[in-house]
Amino acid sequence: MSNASLPLPSSDRADVAASLREALLDAAFTADGLLELLGASAYAALARSETVPALRATRGDGALAALVRLFLLQEAVPHARVAGVLPVDALLESGWLTGRDGELRATVDVRPYGGPSGEDWFIVSDLGCAVGGAGGIGSHDEGVVLGVGGASTTLAGITVRMPVESALDLGTGSGIQALHAAQHATRVTATDLNPRALEFTRLTLALSGAPAADLREGSLFEPVADETYDLIVSNPPFVISPGARLTYRDGGMGGDDLCRSLVQEAGERLNEGGYAHFLANWQHVDGEEWQDRLRSWVPRDCDAWIVQREVQDITQYAELWLRDAGDHRQDPARYAERYEAWLDEFEARGTRAVGFGWITLRKSGSDEPSITIEEWPHPVEQPLGDTVREFFARQDYLRAHDDAALLAGHFKLADEVVQEQVGLPGAEDPEHVVLRQHRGMRRATKVDTVGAGFAGVCDGSLSAGRILDAIAQLVGEDPVLLRDRTPAQIRLLVEQGFLLPVEA
């Protein structure tokens, strides 16, 4: 029997979910508790789908070890080991557990997940389909519902978190984005084409002690009609593949049309000032700049920040997702046939590579929308929600200030920015100067000596123009010429977050 056809625990028994949550917390079945029990090595191995170290670490008789084997490793556990830990009879009756020959098994994967403010949450998914689950990642089951993976946590980390009236989690899966949104949105709507995913979201929210969401079945924006939201988040089935074999990953539209449709239609579903966050794949097509392709996706009344985090050529991309589904472990001839089908699809579309990254929209209503598209494959500091919000605030500032207003403005150097001088050993002057961030996007940018000097004295007390006049006097340059040529560099430093506008 496939995972997707297994019956799920009853979501009508809120009392059972509450009792199970209390029991799990009492036994320290939390992210911190697991780390303490398993140790860093075994804990990290679970994220690689390696269960042997965790099995070795849970050979003891403790309650937590029994729960790890039951819910994370999907092992059979003697009834007597958990009888005093869990409300076994209620869990058997409501379908969380099954019993046979004196042993108990879990019907779903229950995974501890630490919230951003230290909350103890639990993500419920199909057996063996959490990242690090007993069966590894990926599945051949059409309707399977996966647990938390790197994409899920990335999206949660880049989402702007502030109190809002309404939030939409489109393609909710096991409900992690809805769970996050429930902490700061009065009303959360979660949709999915797969009705099984909606049931898992219901279970995740209940077991995590979060408010219930408005759950709706359907594709893309279809279930919400013309309703609008303050926040939209989506980790859609963005994989560009020949066909729609696996619902949890394959978009089912040609090429990157699903991601394009989501982004283009999001504008009319956002309230003024609202944000939409997406993870997406996009094609790199012969004869077209990938930045131009993405720019055409942005709704007219929205600002956008699009970051390409990774690019794979078409062979790497096909191999990644064939292996994700375990196709490489099946019949070699069938694997080769599917590989050929992927390459045929890419060749027909003129696709030479596939990009992956983040797309953030903000409904600004501006006649001159700000669209920033960049490639940044380097490490960043998650969560980035505040960084994203501050980025758009700086775009507002720059849009409202021409060069004269910019020179009249006051700025301060952002926290944890350092200056590096690069040049040959022993040289009197550096070849160039680099400003480097140690927070947020962790950017680095080259500046000239004027830019370095300007940034170094920005503490908010003097206007940009007065600082430049002082620098001009020091270096013997015409202050008028310096004022003319420096605003572009100031704009770049503000846009990238090295300099922050402050009140005079």
Side-chain angles (χ1 to χ4, degrees):
M1 180 181 293
S2 71
N3 277 340
S5 60
L6 290 173
L8 294 179
S10 171
S11 58
D12 297 330
R13 295 290 305 275
D15 59 323
V16 176
S19 297
L20 175 56
R21 173 177 172 78
E22 182 178 356
L24 295 178
L25 294 177
D26 286 345
F29 188 72
T30 63
D32 290 341
L34 291 188
L35 181 58
E36 183 175 349
L37 172 70
L38 301 179
S41 179
Y43 189 81
L46 273 180
R48 302 191 300 269
S49 300
E50 296 292 347
T51 59
V52 172
L55 286 168
R56 290 173 61 87
T58 55
R59 288 173 175 171
D61 295 330
L64 180 55
L67 295 181
V68 171
R69 284 184 167 248
L70 185 65
F71 287 118
L72 262 66
L73 304 177
Q74 283 106 54
E75 295 286 310
V77 176
H79 187 289
R81 282 198 64 183
V82 295
V85 180
L86 299 176
V88 173
D89 291 342
L91 295 178
L92 286 169
E93 181 184 351
S94 59
W96 288 90
L97 300 177
T98 60
R100 183 177 179 182
D101 299 330
E103 292 187 321
L104 299 173
R105 285 186 177 273
T107 60
V108 290
D109 184 295
V110 177
R111 193 150 301 253
Y113 178 79
S117 299
E119 301 94 342
D120 289 314
W121 293 338
F122 301 96
I123 309 300
V124 188
S125 63
D126 269 314
L127 292 173
C129 292
V131 172
I137 61 173
S139 172
H140 286 281
D141 291 354
E142 168 62 21
V144 76
V145 178
L146 302 188
V148 177
S152 302
T153 55
T154 294
L155 179 59
I158 67 172
T159 299
V160 172
R161 304 294 176 190
M162 58 185 182
V164 294
E165 175 63 29
S166 57
L168 170 64
D169 176 14
L170 194 151
T172 186
S174 55
I176 179 176
Q177 309 305 330
L179 179 56
H180 276 278
Q183 311 309 304
H184 61 100
T186 303
R187 174 173 55 89
V188 177
T189 301
T191 72
D192 206 289
L193 181 64
N194 182 1
R196 187 175 179 85
L198 298 178
E199 288 303 305
F200 272 115
T201 294
R202 197 188 311 273
L203 295 172
T204 289
L205 294 173
L207 194 58
S208 298
D214 178 7
L215 304 177
R216 304 185 193 182
E217 181 181 346
S219 178
L220 304 181
F221 287 106
E222 177 186 84
V224 300
D226 58 355
E227 296 175 43
T228 58
Y229 299 87
D230 302 311
L231 174 67
I232 297 173
V233 292
S234 183
N235 176 20
F238 53 67
V239 176
I240 300 170
S241 62
R245 184 163 63 103
L246 300 174
T247 303
Y248 70 86
R249 69 167 203 195
D250 299 327
M253 296 185 182
D256 51 19
D257 283 355
L258 181 136
C259 292
R260 175 186 55 78
S261 296
L262 274 178
V263 175
Q264 288 182 335
E265 295 177 19
E268 60 189 38
R269 302 313 200 292
L270 278 175
N271 293 327
E272 196 71 22
Y275 287 89
H277 302 273
F278 305 96
L279 298 187
N281 277 180
W282 45 79
Q283 298 172 111
H284 287 225
V285 178
D286 289 330
E288 177 187 52
E289 295 294 331
W290 66 270
Q291 296 93 334
D292 293 338
R293 184 180 193 85
L294 289 172
R295 190 171 286 107
S296 72
W297 293 8
V298 178
R300 288 183 304 172
D301 53 356
C302 289
D303 296 335
W305 185 17
I306 301 173
V307 182
Q308 180 167 271
R309 296 287 289 159
E310 184 179 1
V311 181
Q312 291 184 316
D313 68 43
I314 56 175
T315 59
Q316 292 174 313
Y317 188 81
E319 291 162 13
L320 169 67
W321 293 108
L322 289 169
R323 289 176 178 274
D324 173 79
D327 289 322
H328 62 300
R329 294 192 293 266
Q330 309 301 316
D331 176 18
R334 182 61 175 152
Y335 172 77
E337 179 183 338
R338 284 183 170 151
Y339 200 150
E340 287 273 8
W342 283 65
L343 297 185
D344 287 344
E345 174 80 4
F346 288 133
E347 182 178 338
R349 295 182 176 277
T351 303
R352 63 180 185 277
V354 177
F356 166 80
W358 321 323
I359 298 177
T360 297
L361 305 177
R362 186 191 56 162
K363 185 73 166 285
S364 65
S366 173
D367 294 332
E368 299 178 0
S370 164
I371 300 177
T372 301
I373 302 174
E374 61 178 318
E375 186 164 16
W376 190 253
H378 311 293
V380 299
E381 181 190 45
Q382 284 277 32
L384 277 171
D386 287 344
T387 299
V388 173
R389 179 178 50 79
E390 292 161 2
F391 172 85
F392 284 100
R394 295 194 303 274
Q395 295 301 312
D396 284 342
Y397 176 89
L398 292 172
R399 186 162 43 204
H401 290 71
D402 59 17
D403 285 356
L406 198 68
L407 292 175
H410 292 238
F411 304 92
K412 69 175 181 178
L413 191 65
D415 293 337
E416 297 193 40
V417 172
V418 298
Q419 175 180 303
E420 301 172 359
Q421 295 185 347
V422 182
L424 294 175
E428 183 175 345
D429 296 312
E431 292 181 12
H432 57 264
V433 178
V434 173
L435 298 181
R436 187 179 301 277
Q437 300 169 347
H438 286 272
R439 302 295 302 273
M441 292 292 286
R442 294 177 174 169
R443 296 184 185 277
T445 189
K446 286 198 296 186
V447 293
D448 59 21
T449 54
V450 171
F454 179 87
V457 299
C458 278
D459 61 3
S461 61
L462 296 176
S463 69
R466 290 188 63 186
I467 293 174
L468 290 178
D469 290 343
I471 291 175
Q473 186 174 7
L474 285 174
V475 300
E477 186 168 342
D478 184 336
V480 175
L481 295 178
L482 192 60
R483 281 173 171 255
D484 284 344
R485 70 177 176 86
T486 306
Q489 189 168 194
I490 297 175
R491 285 187 181 278
L492 179 63
L493 293 176
V494 172
E495 180 178 343
Q496 295 188 343
F498 290 93
L499 294 178
L500 307 178
V502 297
E503 293 295 330

